[in-house]
Structures are given as structure tokens and as C-alpha cells.
Amino acid sequence: NTIMFPFHRNNILRTRVVQRGSNSDDSDDNKSANGSETDNNSDESDNDSDKIIKWYWASDGPNGGYQNEWKYYGEDLSKKLEHALKQKALRFDIDAERYVDLRDPKNLWQCRKDSPGRKRKVKRVKKSKKKLQQSKLAKWYWAGDSQNTRTQDNWIEYGEELSKKFEKAFRLGKDKVQVDSERSIDINRMIQYRLDNPLRKRRVKREPCEDDDDDEEEEEEEEKEEEEQE
């Protein structure tokens, strides 16, 4: 959020950096460096260095559910969304068709560009790094073939060491984690696939420990209290 102006001093060409929101005549003060619209009146705090922050959008769940299943944007988009929020952007483009409305950090929405009224809820979840390290591990499974139907309906546990590895990647918001020299897991899609042929894949599932959901609810409550104090 800076503007650079060339000027001369002592016959040397120098550059002056002006923060957006200062008394400059730039007509694009409401634009961020990447073109996102910005707002200089955000009260969002930057004291999140001790937290993992993940962004989710509300998908339609099975059996006719409506916006009742949270889908993770993934590590890369979460980082970009968080950066846009910190830069006081008014919106962030997810892709060519959708954007996230960032004007009110307490009321986030994903909207369609061609029809902004068509929107889905967005949430931003903070997790304490310290709590994540201390909390119990979830169990991870891959879908093996049953003997009778030869379909992927036989859940086989990866084992403690691999579960630890996967859980660490999951809690840090990583998109992918390698199983071995031949296989990797797409954490966003919960799919295990072969590195030499990504079309050969198997389902993966994660069974959270009992206190995992409680921790997330506790973090959201703490975040609400912080916002109220601001």
C-alpha cells in the first residue's frame, strides 16, 4: 500500500514512498497493490503471528443441505485472503467468477461477479499454534477394496507415524502431504493419488479426536470476544 514518487535532491534521482491514506493526490487510494479495492478504516488486528488462520466457504451438504458444510479454501488461497484482509482490501477475487467481500470482517461472503446477490457464507478460523501442538491427534484412513464388492469401502488406518505427519500438515493448513515415494494426499479433496498417475486415486478420511471440534468452537468464541473488545 505504497506509492513511489521520483524526485531530485543534490542532483540525485531519489524515490519517495507515500503510504496510502496520506495526503497524496493519487486517485486510486482505494486500490491495493494487486488491484483489490481497499478501505483505510479497517480495525483488523495484526497480532496473529501465534495462530494458524484458515478460510472456509459454505458448501451445500448431502441430502439437500444448504450451506451447511464448510469447505477449506486451501493453504494458498487462505494466505492470500488473509493478506488481503490485513491490507484492508474491500474484496478479493477467488477466480474469474467469484470474489470474497471483505468490507465487514465479521460478516464475510463469497459472491458471484455476474450476480453479487448469489452468495455463500465465508468464515475465518484462528487456531492457536500452541494448542494445536498440545491437542490430541486425529486418525487417518485410506479406502481399500473390499473382498466381495471390490469397491473402496474398506477403511484402513495409516498408522500412528503417518497420521502424525498428515495431521501436522492438516493443522498447518497445507494443501498436500506425501505418503511415500509413490503416493501423495490432496488434503483439500481428501484423496490419495499416485505421483506417476494422478488419475489413480483412493478416498481418504480423517477422524478427529473428541476435543478437536471443542477446540475450534473455543477459538471462535475467543475471536468473537476479541472483536467485541475492539
mmCIF file of all heavy atoms in Angstrom, residues 46-77:
data_model
loop_
_atom_site.group_PDB
_atom_site.id
_atom_site.type_symbol
_atom_site.label_atom_id
_atom_site.label_comp_id
_atom_site.label_asym_id
_atom_site.label_seq_id
_atom_site.Cartn_x
_atom_site.Cartn_y
_atom_site.Cartn_z
ATOM 1 N N ASP A 46 -3.297 -7.084 13.657
ATOM 2 C CA ASP A 46 -2.242 -7.847 13.016
ATOM 3 C C ASP A 46 -1.550 -8.797 13.985
ATOM 4 O O ASP A 46 -0.545 -9.406 13.646
ATOM 5 C CB ASP A 46 -1.189 -6.897 12.413
ATOM 6 C CG ASP A 46 -1.749 -6.115 11.244
ATOM 7 O OD1 ASP A 46 -2.585 -6.682 10.517
ATOM 8 O OD2 ASP A 46 -1.358 -4.955 11.060
ATOM 9 N N ASN A 47 -2.063 -8.915 15.199
ATOM 10 C CA ASN A 47 -1.385 -9.721 16.203
ATOM 11 C C ASN A 47 -1.811 -11.175 16.112
ATOM 12 O O ASN A 47 -2.389 -11.741 17.029
ATOM 13 C CB ASN A 47 -1.691 -9.165 17.611
ATOM 14 C CG ASN A 47 -1.192 -7.751 17.776
ATOM 15 O OD1 ASN A 47 -0.131 -7.403 17.266
ATOM 16 N ND2 ASN A 47 -1.948 -6.929 18.493
ATOM 17 N N ASP A 48 -1.535 -11.808 14.966
ATOM 18 C CA ASP A 48 -1.932 -13.189 14.755
ATOM 19 C C ASP A 48 -0.735 -14.086 14.457
ATOM 20 O O ASP A 48 -0.902 -15.169 13.897
ATOM 21 C CB ASP A 48 -2.929 -13.276 13.588
ATOM 22 C CG ASP A 48 -4.264 -12.633 13.920
ATOM 23 O OD1 ASP A 48 -4.696 -12.766 15.083
ATOM 24 O OD2 ASP A 48 -4.848 -11.995 13.045
ATOM 25 N N SER A 49 0.457 -13.673 14.824
ATOM 26 C CA SER A 49 1.648 -14.435 14.488
ATOM 27 C C SER A 49 1.708 -15.778 15.213
ATOM 28 O O SER A 49 2.399 -16.686 14.771
ATOM 29 C CB SER A 49 2.908 -13.621 14.814
ATOM 30 O OG SER A 49 2.930 -13.285 16.193
ATOM 31 N N ASP A 50 0.972 -15.898 16.336
ATOM 32 C CA ASP A 50 0.986 -17.146 17.092
ATOM 33 C C ASP A 50 -0.184 -18.045 16.714
ATOM 34 O O ASP A 50 -0.481 -19.011 17.408
ATOM 35 C CB ASP A 50 0.943 -16.860 18.590
ATOM 36 C CG ASP A 50 -0.349 -16.173 19.014
ATOM 37 O OD1 ASP A 50 -0.939 -15.479 18.159
ATOM 38 O OD2 ASP A 50 -0.754 -16.334 20.177
ATOM 39 N N LYS A 51 -0.854 -17.760 15.583
ATOM 40 C CA LYS A 51 -2.029 -18.526 15.202
ATOM 41 C C LYS A 51 -1.940 -19.030 13.761
ATOM 42 O O LYS A 51 -1.279 -18.438 12.923
ATOM 43 C CB LYS A 51 -3.306 -17.678 15.357
ATOM 44 C CG LYS A 51 -3.584 -17.257 16.793
ATOM 45 C CD LYS A 51 -4.871 -16.460 16.891
ATOM 46 C CE LYS A 51 -5.125 -15.969 18.311
ATOM 47 N NZ LYS A 51 -5.333 -17.070 19.250
ATOM 48 N N ILE A 52 -2.599 -20.146 13.514
ATOM 49 C CA ILE A 52 -2.838 -20.635 12.161
ATOM 50 C C ILE A 52 -4.232 -20.155 11.773
ATOM 51 O O ILE A 52 -5.192 -20.346 12.516
ATOM 52 C CB ILE A 52 -2.792 -22.174 12.105
ATOM 53 C CG1 ILE A 52 -1.418 -22.698 12.543
ATOM 54 C CG2 ILE A 52 -3.132 -22.666 10.702
ATOM 55 C CD1 ILE A 52 -0.295 -22.336 11.615
ATOM 56 N N ILE A 53 -4.360 -19.505 10.629
ATOM 57 C CA ILE A 53 -5.652 -18.973 10.208
ATOM 58 C C ILE A 53 -6.087 -19.649 8.912
ATOM 59 O O ILE A 53 -5.361 -19.639 7.921
ATOM 60 C CB ILE A 53 -5.590 -17.450 10.023
ATOM 61 C CG1 ILE A 53 -5.149 -16.786 11.336
ATOM 62 C CG2 ILE A 53 -6.953 -16.903 9.585
ATOM 63 C CD1 ILE A 53 -4.996 -15.292 11.275
ATOM 64 N N LYS A 54 -7.272 -20.260 8.947
ATOM 65 C CA LYS A 54 -7.824 -20.940 7.785
ATOM 66 C C LYS A 54 -9.122 -20.260 7.356
ATOM 67 O O LYS A 54 -9.888 -19.804 8.196
ATOM 68 C CB LYS A 54 -8.101 -22.417 8.095
ATOM 69 C CG LYS A 54 -6.861 -23.245 8.417
ATOM 70 C CD LYS A 54 -7.245 -24.694 8.637
ATOM 71 C CE LYS A 54 -6.031 -25.558 8.926
ATOM 72 N NZ LYS A 54 -6.401 -26.985 9.096
ATOM 73 N N TRP A 55 -9.345 -20.241 6.053
ATOM 74 C CA TRP A 55 -10.566 -19.649 5.485
ATOM 75 C C TRP A 55 -11.420 -20.756 4.872
ATOM 76 O O TRP A 55 -10.906 -21.663 4.221
ATOM 77 C CB TRP A 55 -10.207 -18.622 4.420
ATOM 78 C CG TRP A 55 -9.634 -17.345 4.954
ATOM 79 C CD1 TRP A 55 -8.423 -17.182 5.566
ATOM 80 C CD2 TRP A 55 -10.243 -16.055 4.928
ATOM 81 N NE1 TRP A 55 -8.239 -15.873 5.920
ATOM 82 C CE2 TRP A 55 -9.336 -15.153 5.539
ATOM 83 C CE3 TRP A 55 -11.450 -15.562 4.442
ATOM 84 C CZ2 TRP A 55 -9.611 -13.796 5.669
ATOM 85 C CZ3 TRP A 55 -11.735 -14.213 4.563
ATOM 86 C CH2 TRP A 55 -10.817 -13.343 5.176
ATOM 87 N N TYR A 56 -12.740 -20.666 5.084
ATOM 88 C CA TYR A 56 -13.684 -21.668 4.596
ATOM 89 C C TYR A 56 -14.876 -20.997 3.905
ATOM 90 O O TYR A 56 -15.228 -19.866 4.233
ATOM 91 C CB TYR A 56 -14.237 -22.501 5.759
ATOM 92 C CG TYR A 56 -13.216 -23.273 6.551
ATOM 93 C CD1 TYR A 56 -12.471 -22.648 7.555
ATOM 94 C CD2 TYR A 56 -13.009 -24.632 6.329
ATOM 95 C CE1 TYR A 56 -11.538 -23.359 8.294
ATOM 96 C CE2 TYR A 56 -12.077 -25.347 7.078
ATOM 97 C CZ TYR A 56 -11.351 -24.707 8.055
ATOM 98 O OH TYR A 56 -10.428 -25.406 8.793
ATOM 99 N N TRP A 57 -15.483 -21.706 2.959
ATOM 100 C CA TRP A 57 -16.723 -21.247 2.351
ATOM 101 C C TRP A 57 -17.793 -22.318 2.565
ATOM 102 O O TRP A 57 -17.495 -23.492 2.717
ATOM 103 C CB TRP A 57 -16.553 -20.937 0.865
ATOM 104 C CG TRP A 57 -16.120 -22.104 0.015
ATOM 105 C CD1 TRP A 57 -14.854 -22.561 -0.157
ATOM 106 C CD2 TRP A 57 -16.959 -22.949 -0.777
ATOM 107 N NE1 TRP A 57 -14.829 -23.647 -0.995
ATOM 108 C CE2 TRP A 57 -16.116 -23.909 -1.401
ATOM 109 C CE3 TRP A 57 -18.327 -22.999 -1.024
ATOM 110 C CZ2 TRP A 57 -16.610 -24.888 -2.248
ATOM 111 C CZ3 TRP A 57 -18.825 -23.982 -1.876
ATOM 112 C CH2 TRP A 57 -17.965 -24.902 -2.479
ATOM 113 N N ALA A 58 -19.045 -21.875 2.598
ATOM 114 C CA ALA A 58 -20.157 -22.762 2.925
ATOM 115 C C ALA A 58 -20.673 -23.459 1.669
ATOM 116 O O ALA A 58 -21.230 -22.825 0.775
ATOM 117 C CB ALA A 58 -21.280 -21.977 3.595
ATOM 118 N N SER A 59 -20.497 -24.763 1.630
ATOM 119 C CA SER A 59 -20.985 -25.578 0.525
ATOM 120 C C SER A 59 -22.313 -26.239 0.929
ATOM 121 O O SER A 59 -22.680 -26.258 2.098
ATOM 122 C CB SER A 59 -19.950 -26.653 0.181
ATOM 123 O OG SER A 59 -20.441 -27.540 -0.801
ATOM 124 N N ASP A 60 -23.015 -26.771 -0.064
ATOM 125 C CA ASP A 60 -24.247 -27.499 0.226
ATOM 126 C C ASP A 60 -23.896 -28.940 0.591
ATOM 127 O O ASP A 60 -23.261 -29.646 -0.195
ATOM 128 C CB ASP A 60 -25.177 -27.489 -0.988
ATOM 129 C CG ASP A 60 -25.639 -26.078 -1.336
ATOM 130 O OD1 ASP A 60 -25.638 -25.226 -0.435
ATOM 131 O OD2 ASP A 60 -25.980 -25.836 -2.513
ATOM 132 N N GLY A 61 -24.310 -29.355 1.765
ATOM 133 C CA GLY A 61 -24.033 -30.711 2.219
ATOM 134 C C GLY A 61 -24.928 -31.731 1.546
ATOM 135 O O GLY A 61 -25.819 -31.392 0.750
ATOM 136 N N PRO A 62 -24.721 -33.014 1.862
ATOM 137 C CA PRO A 62 -25.537 -34.070 1.261
ATOM 138 C C PRO A 62 -26.986 -34.027 1.762
ATOM 139 O O PRO A 62 -27.307 -33.333 2.726
ATOM 140 C CB PRO A 62 -24.832 -35.349 1.719
ATOM 141 C CG PRO A 62 -24.130 -34.961 2.994
ATOM 142 C CD PRO A 62 -23.726 -33.525 2.807
ATOM 143 N N ASN A 63 -27.840 -34.769 1.073
ATOM 144 C CA ASN A 63 -29.250 -34.913 1.457
ATOM 145 C C ASN A 63 -29.997 -33.581 1.496
ATOM 146 O O ASN A 63 -30.792 -33.318 2.403
ATOM 147 C CB ASN A 63 -29.365 -35.611 2.821
ATOM 148 C CG ASN A 63 -28.679 -36.958 2.847
ATOM 149 O OD1 ASN A 63 -28.750 -37.708 1.881
ATOM 150 N ND2 ASN A 63 -28.000 -37.260 3.942
ATOM 151 N N GLY A 64 -29.718 -32.739 0.516
ATOM 152 C CA GLY A 64 -30.463 -31.495 0.398
ATOM 153 C C GLY A 64 -30.025 -30.387 1.330
ATOM 154 O O GLY A 64 -30.738 -29.390 1.494
ATOM 155 N N GLY A 65 -28.864 -30.525 1.939
ATOM 156 C CA GLY A 65 -28.378 -29.486 2.838
ATOM 157 C C GLY A 65 -28.064 -28.198 2.081
ATOM 158 O O GLY A 65 -27.704 -28.234 0.897
ATOM 159 N N TYR A 66 -28.212 -27.051 2.760
ATOM 160 C CA TYR A 66 -27.937 -25.763 2.116
ATOM 161 C C TYR A 66 -26.930 -24.978 2.948
ATOM 162 O O TYR A 66 -27.193 -24.628 4.100
ATOM 163 C CB TYR A 66 -29.230 -24.958 1.959
ATOM 164 C CG TYR A 66 -29.025 -23.600 1.335
ATOM 165 C CD1 TYR A 66 -28.649 -23.481 -0.002
ATOM 166 C CD2 TYR A 66 -29.179 -22.442 2.088
ATOM 167 C CE1 TYR A 66 -28.444 -22.236 -0.579
ATOM 168 C CE2 TYR A 66 -28.980 -21.189 1.522
ATOM 169 C CZ TYR A 66 -28.613 -21.093 0.190
ATOM 170 O OH TYR A 66 -28.395 -19.863 -0.379
ATOM 171 N N GLN A 67 -25.761 -24.762 2.358
ATOM 172 C CA GLN A 67 -24.688 -24.009 3.008
ATOM 173 C C GLN A 67 -24.442 -24.503 4.444
ATOM 174 O O GLN A 67 -24.286 -23.719 5.375
ATOM 175 C CB GLN A 67 -24.999 -22.513 3.005
ATOM 176 C CG GLN A 67 -25.080 -21.922 1.609
ATOM 177 C CD GLN A 67 -24.910 -20.422 1.572
ATOM 178 O OE1 GLN A 67 -24.217 -19.838 2.416
ATOM 179 N NE2 GLN A 67 -25.513 -19.764 0.598
ATOM 180 N N ASN A 68 -24.404 -25.817 4.599
ATOM 181 C CA ASN A 68 -24.213 -26.398 5.929
ATOM 182 C C ASN A 68 -22.955 -27.243 6.039
ATOM 183 O O ASN A 68 -22.768 -27.972 7.002
ATOM 184 C CB ASN A 68 -25.432 -27.257 6.304
ATOM 185 C CG ASN A 68 -25.653 -28.418 5.345
ATOM 186 O OD1 ASN A 68 -25.133 -28.415 4.233
ATOM 187 N ND2 ASN A 68 -26.438 -29.398 5.770
ATOM 188 N N GLU A 69 -22.088 -27.134 5.044
ATOM 189 C CA GLU A 69 -20.837 -27.901 5.066
ATOM 190 C C GLU A 69 -19.687 -26.969 4.703
ATOM 191 O O GLU A 69 -19.649 -26.415 3.611
ATOM 192 C CB GLU A 69 -20.916 -29.071 4.075
ATOM 193 C CG GLU A 69 -19.714 -29.979 4.137
ATOM 194 C CD GLU A 69 -19.897 -31.229 3.291
ATOM 195 O OE1 GLU A 69 -20.944 -31.899 3.430
ATOM 196 O OE2 GLU A 69 -18.996 -31.519 2.474
ATOM 197 N N TRP A 70 -18.755 -26.809 5.631
ATOM 198 C CA TRP A 70 -17.649 -25.870 5.414
ATOM 199 C C TRP A 70 -16.538 -26.518 4.604
ATOM 200 O O TRP A 70 -16.047 -27.590 4.956
ATOM 201 C CB TRP A 70 -17.102 -25.377 6.755
ATOM 202 C CG TRP A 70 -18.044 -24.488 7.480
ATOM 203 C CD1 TRP A 70 -18.784 -24.791 8.583
ATOM 204 C CD2 TRP A 70 -18.369 -23.128 7.140
ATOM 205 N NE1 TRP A 70 -19.554 -23.714 8.956
ATOM 206 C CE2 TRP A 70 -19.329 -22.683 8.094
ATOM 207 C CE3 TRP A 70 -17.971 -22.254 6.151
ATOM 208 C CZ2 TRP A 70 -19.860 -21.399 8.071
ATOM 209 C CZ3 TRP A 70 -18.502 -20.979 6.114
ATOM 210 C CH2 TRP A 70 -19.431 -20.554 7.061
ATOM 211 N N LYS A 71 -16.132 -25.836 3.517
ATOM 212 C CA LYS A 71 -15.058 -26.310 2.646
ATOM 213 C C LYS A 71 -13.850 -25.380 2.791
ATOM 214 O O LYS A 71 -13.977 -24.160 2.683
ATOM 215 C CB LYS A 71 -15.518 -26.315 1.183
ATOM 216 C CG LYS A 71 -16.656 -27.281 0.887
ATOM 217 C CD LYS A 71 -16.189 -28.714 0.888
ATOM 218 C CE LYS A 71 -17.302 -29.643 0.418
ATOM 219 N NZ LYS A 71 -16.866 -31.056 0.398
ATOM 220 N N TYR A 72 -12.694 -25.986 2.999
ATOM 221 C CA TYR A 72 -11.455 -25.232 3.177
ATOM 222 C C TYR A 72 -10.982 -24.679 1.835
ATOM 223 O O TYR A 72 -10.930 -25.392 0.840
ATOM 224 C CB TYR A 72 -10.413 -26.164 3.785
ATOM 225 C CG TYR A 72 -9.042 -25.575 4.027
ATOM 226 C CD1 TYR A 72 -8.872 -24.297 4.544
ATOM 227 C CD2 TYR A 72 -7.900 -26.328 3.759
ATOM 228 C CE1 TYR A 72 -7.618 -23.779 4.788
ATOM 229 C CE2 TYR A 72 -6.641 -25.817 4.007
ATOM 230 C CZ TYR A 72 -6.498 -24.550 4.510
ATOM 231 O OH TYR A 72 -5.244 -24.039 4.751
ATOM 232 N N TYR A 73 -10.619 -23.393 1.800
ATOM 233 C CA TYR A 73 -10.118 -22.788 0.569
ATOM 234 C C TYR A 73 -8.751 -23.340 0.176
ATOM 235 O O TYR A 73 -8.356 -23.250 -0.983
ATOM 236 C CB TYR A 73 -9.986 -21.266 0.746
ATOM 237 C CG TYR A 73 -11.261 -20.500 0.482
ATOM 238 C CD1 TYR A 73 -11.927 -19.854 1.508
ATOM 239 C CD2 TYR A 73 -11.787 -20.397 -0.802
ATOM 240 C CE1 TYR A 73 -13.094 -19.126 1.275
ATOM 241 C CE2 TYR A 73 -12.941 -19.683 -1.058
ATOM 242 C CZ TYR A 73 -13.595 -19.048 -0.004
ATOM 243 O OH TYR A 73 -14.740 -18.330 -0.251
ATOM 244 N N GLY A 74 -8.044 -23.869 1.130
ATOM 245 C CA GLY A 74 -6.696 -24.348 0.862
ATOM 246 C C GLY A 74 -5.648 -23.375 1.378
ATOM 247 O O GLY A 74 -5.932 -22.208 1.668
ATOM 248 N N GLU A 75 -4.428 -23.869 1.487
ATOM 249 C CA GLU A 75 -3.349 -23.079 2.082
ATOM 250 C C GLU A 75 -3.063 -21.802 1.305
ATOM 251 O O GLU A 75 -2.965 -20.714 1.884
ATOM 252 C CB GLU A 75 -2.083 -23.937 2.155
ATOM 253 C CG GLU A 75 -0.883 -23.217 2.733
ATOM 254 C CD GLU A 75 0.386 -24.042 2.651
ATOM 255 O OE1 GLU A 75 0.387 -25.077 1.966
ATOM 256 O OE2 GLU A 75 1.381 -23.640 3.286
ATOM 257 N N ASP A 76 -2.941 -21.917 -0.014
ATOM 258 C CA ASP A 76 -2.539 -20.762 -0.821
ATOM 259 C C ASP A 76 -3.596 -19.655 -0.792
ATOM 260 O O ASP A 76 -3.288 -18.490 -0.531
ATOM 261 C CB ASP A 76 -2.285 -21.217 -2.266
ATOM 262 C CG ASP A 76 -1.728 -20.095 -3.130
ATOM 263 O OD1 ASP A 76 -0.721 -19.490 -2.734
ATOM 264 O OD2 ASP A 76 -2.311 -19.814 -4.195
ATOM 265 N N LEU A 77 -4.859 -20.023 -1.027
ATOM 266 C CA LEU A 77 -5.920 -19.013 -1.026
ATOM 267 C C LEU A 77 -6.141 -18.438 0.369
ATOM 268 O O LEU A 77 -6.428 -17.250 0.520
ATOM 269 C CB LEU A 77 -7.225 -19.607 -1.553
ATOM 270 C CG LEU A 77 -7.440 -19.530 -3.070
ATOM 271 C CD1 LEU A 77 -8.740 -20.193 -3.464
ATOM 272 C CD2 LEU A 77 -7.417 -18.082 -3.553
#
